[in-house]
Amino acid sequence: MTARGDELFELVDALLCADGPVTSPVDLTLVAEHRRGHGAMYDALNSGNVDVPRLRQVLARLPMPRAADGRLVLAVYVSNWLRPDAPTSADRLFCHVYGRSGRTSDQFVPGWPYSFVAALESGRTSWCQYLDAVRLGPADDVAEVTAAQLRRVVIDLIEMGRWHASDRDILIVFDAGYDAPRMAHLLDGLPVEVLGRMRSDRVMRRPTPTLKEYALSYAQGGRPPKHGKEFRFAKPETWGKPDTATTQVTDRYGTARAMAWDRIYPRLTTRSAWIDHTSELPIIEGTLIRLQVDRLPGGGDPLPLWLWSSATGLTGEDVDMRWQTFLSRFDLEHTFRLMKQTLGWTRPKLRTPEAGDRWTWIVIAAHTQLRLLREAAVDLRRPWEKPAEPSRLTPARVRRGFRNLRPHLACPARAPKPSTPGPGKPLGSKNRCPATRYGVGKTTRRPETIIERDRPRG
């Protein structure tokens, strides 16, 4: 924190020492750990500076949580900071949300979408480690921005010594909003494996038959096919025999049955995201996994889950590890609930998106301190809460005891200098410099076909 650093440091301390959820940043100036006024707080958010590249390296240098097999697991998640009543805020987009205000239909609300990258822990937990956050703009291609973000994170992990050449590939987990084969192509050259959820209506292809296999199947001859037969998720008759099948009995989901098919890939065409691909379209092979469980914890209908991994030749044990790792991705829901409801990430009414970026990194820094101090925190539980071991405390319960730990920590903020507040704007005077109003930007539409791309614009 290079500019207004003293105020930003105290703001992080106030964020962690406040009693109860954060409802407004100005309320943090009343916390005893915050020794400066509310004007300094707003000035720091609007004009301060956070050295983000350096902070990314600091986060990558910290001890990383790992999966059961010792590998790093990263998850990508897009969360929206909704700003429907902020016409003076720039770079807002229409964010897709589900059933707000009692409605059951989807809605599009103006806001700032942020792409987060976090390292997941093994087992059922509400902890993770944030590594990066990027605000998405109207002209950004989400896949390309996410790929550049992940490439930067992986390089930082390698440079900080958190991944070595002898380690397993870093597993990156995506939800259905990302095209997993395309992400694997964009991340080519990195020691990573892509694991993504697939839509249940997808159509993919089987491995291309060899010349010998084609000659045995078609004795009359003909031109060998470039692609294998279709694999339709909605038609079991096209699946064939799986290469791997496993069955496990779980406490939360009952019996979990997984089937995997090796070397399954999508047939790419020169459309949409691949429209500018000049060379021959690649064949991106991977392992397709279908998971079926008996029940869901919430009581819903247990629909099958389709996953695609960029790794091939997986064994039954490898397949079970993949779908179990994907299910641990839902632990991020607890983390974002803490960020929004307890740490107040989306509470400030900030005008500029740059101020929103500073506040986002402040919240990430505060969450990181909670994670680093969870072993030293004392469980200050409510009378109706069950006791928990120090290693099983939730982030909210660790935050309750942070005020008792702060006196034992070094405070980088200097003592405030006494000053006299200015006179301010005269009472009754009109605002002669109204703020600029911005419309809600729409995501830049890209051509879907070559004809549409080459069509002259008049």
Side-chain angles (χ1 to χ4, degrees):
M1 301 179 182
T2 56
R4 276 74 172 182
D6 295 336
E7 167 58 29
L8 293 176
F9 279 121
E10 288 193 357
L11 188 58
V12 174
D13 286 344
L15 186 65
L16 294 172
C17 296
D19 295 330
V22 177
T23 58
S24 174
V26 73
D27 294 338
L28 298 177
T29 61
L30 304 178
V31 179
E33 286 74 13
H34 191 280
R35 299 173 293 178
R36 290 165 171 83
H38 64 278
M41 184 270 299
Y42 283 116
D43 182 60
L45 290 178
N46 293 325
S47 305
N49 183 45
V50 178
D51 192 349
V52 176
R54 188 176 174 186
L55 180 55
R56 288 192 182 108
Q57 293 182 350
V58 171
L59 296 176
R61 190 183 297 116
L62 299 176
M64 291 288 145
R66 296 181 180 268
D69 60 350
R71 74 171 68 210
L72 290 172
V73 179
L74 306 181
V76 181
Y77 191 96
V78 175
S79 186
N80 302 317
W81 184 343
L82 302 182
R83 303 297 309 280
D85 301 325
T88 58
S89 296
D91 295 342
R92 290 185 303 161
L93 297 178
F94 284 107
C95 303
H96 182 255
V97 296
Y98 294 95
R100 298 178 71 240
S101 303
R103 301 181 181 180
T104 57
S105 60
D106 301 347
Q107 303 179 60
F108 290 90
V109 181
W112 291 326
Y114 279 83
S115 175
F116 291 88
V117 176
L120 300 180
E121 295 190 2
S122 60
R124 294 176 57 187
T125 178
S126 55
W127 290 97
C128 72
Q129 178 169 334
Y130 286 111
L131 297 175
D132 196 13
V134 172
R135 178 170 45 84
L136 303 176
D140 291 339
D141 184 288
V142 178
E144 294 180 357
V145 172
T146 304
Q149 182 185 18
L150 287 168
R151 186 173 294 273
R152 182 174 57 243
V153 169
V154 172
I155 292 176
D156 288 341
L157 292 173
I158 296 175
E159 292 179 350
M160 295 298 108
R162 293 303 169 187
W163 186 90
H164 303 87
S166 59
D167 295 342
R168 298 174 181 265
D169 288 346
I170 301 174
L171 186 61
I172 304 179
V173 184
F174 296 92
D175 204 358
Y178 297 88
D179 187 3
R182 187 190 177 198
M183 297 305 301
H185 177 73
L186 293 175
L187 296 174
D188 187 29
L190 294 177
V192 299
E193 176 188 343
V194 171
L195 178 65
R197 183 176 181 178
M198 309 292 286
R199 292 170 51 122
S200 58
D201 57 352
R202 288 289 298 267
V203 178
M204 303 189 79
R205 292 282 180 164
R206 291 183 170 278
T208 305
T210 62
L211 295 179
K212 183 177 181 181
E213 294 173 346
Y214 179 74
L216 294 176
S217 301
Y218 298 91
Q220 67 274 20
R223 183 179 179 181
K226 185 177 180 181
H227 301 280
K229 295 183 179 180
E230 287 187 346
F231 188 106
R232 293 182 175 270
F233 292 7
K235 293 185 177 181
E237 59 270 15
T238 64
W239 298 353
K241 183 179 179 181
D243 297 309
T244 306
T246 62
T247 302
Q248 281 196 7
V249 179
T250 64
D251 297 334
R252 291 172 57 84
Y253 304 99
T255 303
R257 302 174 181 86
M259 297 186 296
W261 294 265
D262 197 21
R263 299 181 58 196
I264 304 296
Y265 65 93
R267 181 180 179 181
L268 304 179
T269 58
T270 313
R271 295 174 59 89
S272 189
W274 302 93
I275 192 173
D276 295 326
H277 197 82
T278 55
S279 59
E280 185 178 0
L281 292 174
I283 294 180
I284 310 172
E285 294 184 342
T287 301
L288 184 64
I289 303 173
R290 182 183 186 271
L291 177 65
Q292 181 69 60
V293 298
D294 291 340
R295 62 179 183 272
L296 296 177
D301 187 14
L303 299 177
L305 177 68
W306 292 92
L307 303 175
W308 185 88
S309 171
S310 60
T312 57
L314 299 181
T315 63
E317 183 179 354
D318 297 333
V319 170
D320 289 337
M321 191 278 292
R322 263 65 177 184
W323 66 259
Q324 291 171 3
T325 302
F326 180 83
L327 294 183
S328 66
R329 180 190 176 276
F330 295 105
D331 294 338
L332 284 176
E333 301 291 343
H334 304 286
T335 305
F336 280 97
R337 187 180 299 113
L338 171 84
M339 283 186 60
K340 292 184 177 182
Q341 298 182 2
T342 304
L343 299 181
W345 172 49
T346 58
R347 289 292 186 174
K349 302 294 190 274
L350 302 176
R351 176 174 295 177
T352 63
E354 293 77 15
D357 295 342
R358 295 186 193 97
W359 176 254
T360 300
W361 281 106
I362 287 174
V363 175
I364 291 177
H367 181 271
T368 303
Q369 291 196 47
L370 290 179
R371 179 180 172 273
L372 295 176
L373 287 174
R374 59 176 173 174
E375 297 291 342
V378 178
D379 186 15
L380 303 179
R381 63 185 183 90
R382 302 289 189 255
W384 55 85
E385 294 177 340
K386 296 181 180 179
E389 298 179 0
S391 59
R392 299 297 300 173
L393 292 179
T394 62
R397 292 171 76 161
V398 172
R399 180 173 175 260
R400 293 177 193 167
F402 185 84
R403 173 168 283 173
N404 298 331
L405 297 173
R406 184 182 177 275
H408 304 282
L409 305 176
C411 181
R414 295 168 295 183
K417 299 179 180 179
S419 61
T420 303
K425 186 174 65 174
L427 185 63
S429 61
K430 294 183 179 180
N431 184 13
R432 301 184 182 277
C433 299
T436 305
R437 293 178 174 265
Y438 302 91
V440 181
K442 297 182 179 179
T443 303
T444 303
R445 185 180 181 277
R446 295 172 176 80
E448 295 289 336
T449 62
I450 297 179
I451 297 177
E452 184 181 355
R453 183 193 64 182
D454 299 339
R455 182 181 303 163
R457 300 179 181 178

